[in-house]
Amino acid sequence: MKYYSTNQQAPTADLHKAVVKGLAEDRGLYMPEKIKKLPKTFFDTIETKTFQEIAYTVADAFFGEDVDAASLKQIVYDTLSFDCPVVQVKGNIYTLELFHGPTLAFKDVGARFMARLLQYFIRKETEVGSQEKGEVNVLVATSGDTGSAVANGFLGVEGIHVYVLYPKGKVSPIQECQFTTLGKNITAIEVDGVFDDCQALVKNAFMDAELNQHMKLTSANSINVARFLPQAFYYFNAYARMKEQGKADNLVMCVPSGNFGNICAALFGHEMGLPVKRFIAANNANDIFFKYLQTGKYEPKASKQTLANAMDVGDPSNFARIYDLYGKSHERITALISGATYNDDQIRETMRQCYQETGYILDPHGACGYQALAEGLAADETGVFCETAHPAKFKEKVDEIVGIDVAIPDRLAAFMKGTKQSVPMTKDFADFKKYLLTQ
């Protein structure tokens, strides 16, 4: 499989290069040249298959030409050592719970898959005595859950060092503990700015010739094909589990959206034949995509800080992939995807109301997805929204809003016992570059 750049000004790459480089030379995002349709027979019997069996079939369509079958199967099965169940919240609204992994967030799937795939390629380089071998340095910007998922996915992986860039004072205390207390091959960098500043530092590092000569750099943000594509796995699984219950007709998937990697993976699944009727991108107050749907104009702006902090993105990277996927056609995009946007007061009210009516505890991101379905589902439709992180990751906010004491799972509590270690950094690229050149 070859991968081309969304900016169309860089040479095509194989999977190895796309994963190791992360970003194309022209600053574009890599896209597969073709998306394979899965056969009708796969969907006819999908409800009889396990999550891992389903995911391997999907992974083979994406990566099977570049990774041998036994290795790919091991990568998929190791990645999915936990379930992503579908749970009814009320009536025709269900949630796809994506918080059962090691760091209790949806990004565990993509991060664990990418860590294993990158290690596979590093081993291949070592076997053939490639001149390219040597430590790979993963740069990842996070507004919350990405940092913890990537850090834990790569923790202790030989030949890889991870630098997590996060905005000072703008991630929850529990999220911060999950990537600042690990040590080993994980370095946390606390940037005096917002998420967009962190993302800009990462992108500028990839484009800097001197830095790239000094160290091998890649990204584990959803700009990396190995991070966002595996997220398609759990949408296929959600369809299978709904089909098992006879509820798969007229299915609507609602995805809380920040950098748009998650919904982008769902849309790739749809292109592969996943029988979802339509999609909803649920935003917080950062409503750039919502406004694009209304106007046809994409106008990025500085991100606003909100309750749903992992979605605080003012210029979502993966919009470029969605735009490319549908031939830059506003008409095609709006035919399949609608939007919703909620401010903090609306998120709070949704969290309170859902708990009072159903007993289900939403985190602030899932609340956007739930509310979009509550407002937008037709009577003959069934909706599934992503609950992207465990509510305990936002314990202080959830406790205060809902009026309960959310229990902290043991594996989350373990992170909170460590000592925080981070490197303070300005948002000036010259300072970040100077730091990396000393590593």
Side-chain angles (χ1 to χ4, degrees), residues 51 61 88 228 230 255 262 300 318 396:
F51 186 14
Q88 186 176 24
F228 95 88
V255 187
N262 203 8
N318 285 287
E396 296 86 350

Side-chain angles (χ1 to χ4, degrees), residues 233-286:
F233 299 162
Y234 44 69
Y235 293 105
F236 285 88
N237 188 55
Y239 174 78
R241 304 294 71 94
M242 295 305 288
K243 192 177 180 202
E244 229 174 351
Q245 300 180 49
K247 303 259 173 105
D249 295 336
N250 290 329
L251 196 62
V252 178
M253 291 293 322
C254 182
V255 187
S257 300
N259 216 18
F260 278 74
N262 203 8
I263 194 168
C264 193
L267 296 171
F268 270 67
H270 186 260
E271 288 295 298
M272 297 174 78
L274 182 63
V276 172
K277 179 183 176 184
R278 62 187 180 93
F279 296 87
I280 304 173
N283 293 155
N284 57 18
N286 294 281

